[in-house]
């Protein structure tokens, strides 16, 4: 048993093609991460510097948030991978339940408030 530990390990069990795929995926994630930081900076600048009109500020920020949410789901939660079918189905069903619920609550708050 101890003789096995004295032998050197292979540097990696991955093939060159697998290493290239992993490096490609890492590059994609870094680019998406930089894009998400850029979207965050844009949203802060939009509100802080009054770049967008006040009436359009909230929809603009919500639009940027939706884009960031989609990027996070696709690239960091790996929903783009083929073996995540159930997770994708649950996420889509959750969106179909959540959006009408939030819309109904906003409508109720609007009806009560005005």
């Amino acid at each position: 048993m101890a003789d096995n530990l004295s032998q050197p390990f292979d540097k990696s069990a991955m093939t060159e093609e697998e290493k290239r795929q992993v490096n490609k995926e890492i590059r994609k994630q870094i680019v998406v991460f930089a894009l998400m930081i850029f979207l965050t900076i844009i949203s802060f600048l939009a509100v802080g510097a009054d770049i967008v009109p006040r009436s359009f500020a909230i929809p603009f920020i919500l639009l940027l948030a939706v884009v960031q949410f989609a990027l996070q789901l696709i690239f960091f939660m790996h929903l783009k991978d083929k073996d995540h079918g159930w997770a994708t189905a649950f996420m889509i069903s959750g969106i179909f339940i959540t959006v009408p619920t939030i819309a109904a609550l906003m409508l109720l708050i609007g009806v009560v408030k005005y």
Side-chain angles (χ1 to χ4, degrees):
M1 182 100 184
D3 292 336
N4 292 340
L5 295 176
S6 63
Q7 296 176 355
F9 293 105
D10 292 335
K11 290 186 178 181
S12 176
M14 295 173 47
T15 64
E16 291 298 321
E17 180 63 26
E18 290 172 337
K19 288 178 184 177
R20 266 188 249 123
Q21 291 295 327
V22 167
N23 287 337
K24 188 176 175 182
E25 184 68 25
I26 289 171
R27 265 186 258 128
K28 280 183 186 177
Q29 288 185 352
I30 289 172
V31 168
V32 169
F33 181 71
L35 179 63
M36 290 171 48
I37 289 175
F38 179 71
L39 290 174
T40 303
I41 291 170
I42 286 176
S43 65
F44 275 110
L45 286 177
V47 173
D50 289 334
I51 294 173
V52 294
R54 284 184 180 256
S55 60
F56 187 64
I58 291 176
F60 180 72
I61 290 172
L62 287 175
L63 178 69
L64 293 178
V66 168
V67 170
Q68 280 191 353
F69 181 69
L71 288 174
Q72 285 184 5
L73 287 179
I74 292 170
F75 288 99
F76 293 109
M77 301 300 288
H78 302 280
L79 290 184
K80 65 180 174 26
D81 296 339
K82 292 179 181 174
D83 57 344
H84 288 79
W86 281 107
T88 304
F90 284 123
M91 293 296 286
I92 290 172
S93 64
I95 289 170
F96 277 117
I97 292 171
T98 304
V99 169
T101 303
I102 290 173
L105 289 174
M106 289 175 65
L107 182 65
L108 284 173
I109 290 171
V111 168
V112 172
K113 187 175 180 182
Y114 298 108

